[in-house]
Amino acid sequence: MYPSLGYAAHTHTSPLVPFQFKRRELLPTDVHIDILYCGVCHSDIHQVRNEWGNASFPMVPGHEIVGKVINIGSAVTRFKVGDPVGVGCLVGSCRTCPECQDDLEQYCDHPVFTYNSPDPHSGGNTYGGYSDNIVVDQHFVLKIAANLNLAATAPLLCAGITTYSPLMHWQVGAGDKVGVVGLGGLGHMAVKFAHALGAEVVLFTTSPDKIADAKRLGADSVVISKNPEEMARHSLSFDFILNTVAAPHNLDAYTALLKRDGTLCLVGVPDQPHPSPSVGNLIFKRRNIAGSLIGGLKETQEMLDFCAKHNITSDIEMIPIQQINEAYQRVLKSDVKYRFVIDLQSLKAG
Ligand code: NAP
Ligand code: ZN
Ligand code: ZN
């Protein structure tokens, strides 16, 4: 077992504090990773605060992990010591069900999430990336190209794949008008991807001070979503809208903007349900409301390779781990440009 240091929450109301635990000995297909950087996802905050009702403590959050391989099990073929690698939201799945066979491990009925999930190896819970090292089966480890900045790559492991996967599934490309709702960690990646795919991109925000950034990131135009006249100007015009908002809100304002057969895809997971959407908005134009969960391992690798080719990474604010509790407060105020990334070197400072 490897003695390990991280930051954990011990209850849903207490701040994250230093926490010692152990990682398992390497199994033949395991990769041992020295964690360099870990992104701070809004899902970390939902889970630490038990907003999804599934929290188990102590909880070491973090599922946007990048680091370097420090050791490999005897049967590992895909990685060698020194490789830059990533780990996202999944560290296990059954590997045999139809979803796993289709490279859609995120939809497996027996997923093992990177943290706050029963750990079949330890019998306890999984512990995530706000820590100095992690041991992960090679199937759930991603390769990172040498040209990508490692710290700015960390958020791709969740915010990146969660926005890339629906854009791929709904085949967004040139000629499409695409909306992105919310300019946070997920939203700013969605704007970059939709722009790189050649779509016309409209960003919906509640924060007027983000307009210039949205355009710099690739939005063709920006709508202040609280302004009904600005919203109405886009009625019946969108092929696809990706909604990343982490709070309940009126979805009718967005379904009304879709063309016939258009889709509003929800990826934000608020703690309370959205108000019920109007059926009329859906049936009169055969519009769809859908959802999407992260992405499978194959597609996550494709997304990282797409990013390497198009030189896409996240816009980040780097923090030492000691500032994690303040960072959570800023995320809750929609005040992050546009993802906090923890420099895990700071753990050594105590
Ligand atoms: P984030 O950085 O906090 O961004 C969310 C953005 O939503 C904010 O920046 C803000 O953008 C907007 N917003 C916040 N409160 C709002 C409100 N009351 N009304 C309207 N807009 C509001 O969060 P994130 O890390 O991108 O995560 C977003 C959500 O996706 C979370 O619920 C998270 O749990 C979920 N998530 C889902 C998946 C999945 O697989 N489906 C994966 C990862 C995360 P503006 O300032 O531009 O309005
Ligand atoms: Zn996440
Ligand atoms: Zn499965």
Side-chain angles (χ1 to χ4, degrees):
M1 303 278 271
Y2 301 102
S4 304
L5 180 61
Y7 260 52
H10 290 273
T11 75
H12 74 285
T13 52
S14 52
L16 276 72
V17 292
F19 174 64
Q20 291 183 337
F21 61 103
K22 290 193 169 71
R23 297 290 188 188
R24 67 173 179 262
E25 293 289 340
L26 295 194
L27 298 167
T29 55
D30 277 346
V31 178
H32 193 187
I33 300 163
D34 176 29
I35 301 178
L36 298 174
Y37 304 103
C38 185
V40 177
C41 180
H42 204 119
S43 302
D44 301 346
I45 303 175
H46 288 308
Q47 291 180 87
V48 162
R49 293 158 56 112
N50 197 22
E51 291 176 351
W52 296 342
N54 68 339
S56 46
F57 298 101
M59 188 190 303
V60 178
H63 57 206
E64 295 185 335
I65 298 167
V66 296
K68 291 250 164 97
V69 175
I70 45 176
N71 201 358
I72 54 172
S74 57
V76 168
T77 49
R78 296 180 53 232
F79 299 98
K80 60 180 191 319
V81 171
D83 284 352
V85 291
V87 177
C89 301
L90 285 170
V91 292
S93 70
C94 84
R95 311 283 300 276
T96 58
C97 72
E99 284 71 25
C100 287
Q101 294 290 308
D102 284 348
D103 297 308
L104 295 168
E105 296 90 345
Q106 74 274 32
Y107 300 119
C108 176
D109 283 339
H110 303 285
V112 183
F113 292 104
T114 303
Y115 68 89
N116 191 33
S117 190
D119 183 347
H121 299 287
S122 70
N125 286 320
T126 53
Y127 292 134
Y130 297 6
S131 62
D132 55 5
N133 77 101
I134 191 165
V135 175
V136 181
D137 184 281
Q138 64 172 344
H139 181 76
F140 297 90
V141 180
L142 288 310
K143 292 174 197 266
I144 296 177
N147 65 315
L148 289 176
N149 175 292
L150 284 184
T153 295
L156 302 180
L157 277 305
C158 176
I161 184 60
T162 301
T163 50
Y164 181 86
S165 182
L167 295 174
M168 290 293 118
H169 182 75
W170 276 276
Q171 300 179 343
V172 163
D176 289 332
K177 183 171 171 184
V178 172
V180 174
V181 189
L183 196 68
L186 268 58
H188 93 290
M189 291 311 309
V191 168
K192 290 187 185 204
F193 286 139
H195 175 73
L197 292 166
E200 178 191 349
V201 184
V202 178
L203 186 270
F204 296 92
T205 183
T206 59
S207 308
D209 63 317
K210 293 181 183 174
I211 292 175
D213 277 348
K215 292 190 174 162
R216 174 180 60 78
L217 294 166
D220 295 285
S221 50
V222 180
V223 172
I224 303 301
S225 55
K226 289 173 177 162
N227 181 328
E229 290 95 58
E230 273 192 60
M231 294 289 280
R233 254 179 254 142
H234 291 268
S235 287
L236 271 165
S237 68
F238 284 89
D239 298 281
F240 184 75
I241 300 177
L242 190 66
N243 187 330
T244 74
V245 172
H249 60 284
N250 174 17
L251 300 181
D252 292 341
Y254 295 101
T255 53
L257 306 188
L258 294 169
K259 285 180 187 165
R260 173 178 56 82
D261 288 324
T263 296
L264 169 66
C265 178
L266 306 177
V267 287
V269 190
D271 58 341
Q272 300 293 324
H274 296 294
S276 288
S278 135
V279 174
N281 264 7
L282 300 178
I283 62 175
F284 279 99
K285 296 286 176 189
R286 200 165 56 188
R287 293 155 166 147
N288 308 286
I289 296 180
S292 184
L293 177 67
I294 47 174
L297 274 298
K298 181 165 176 272
E299 192 172 50
T300 305
Q301 190 63 61
E302 283 167 15
M303 178 273 309
L304 286 167
D305 297 345
F306 179 91
C307 288
K309 188 171 163 207
H310 295 270
N311 204 20
I312 293 175
T313 53
S314 173
D315 285 31
I316 64 168
E317 291 190 51
M318 190 101 82
I319 54 163
I321 188 93
Q322 292 79 4
Q323 286 175 16
I324 187 64
N325 297 300
E326 291 82 359
Y328 276 16
Q329 292 308 315
R330 281 189 51 201
V331 172
L332 290 168
K333 288 189 280 186
S334 302
D335 174 28
V336 49
K337 305 252 162 61
Y338 280 89
R339 195 60 137 187
F340 286 114
V341 169
I342 305 164
D343 178 355
L344 270 316
Q345 287 298 319
S346 60
L347 257 184
K348 299 189 175 113

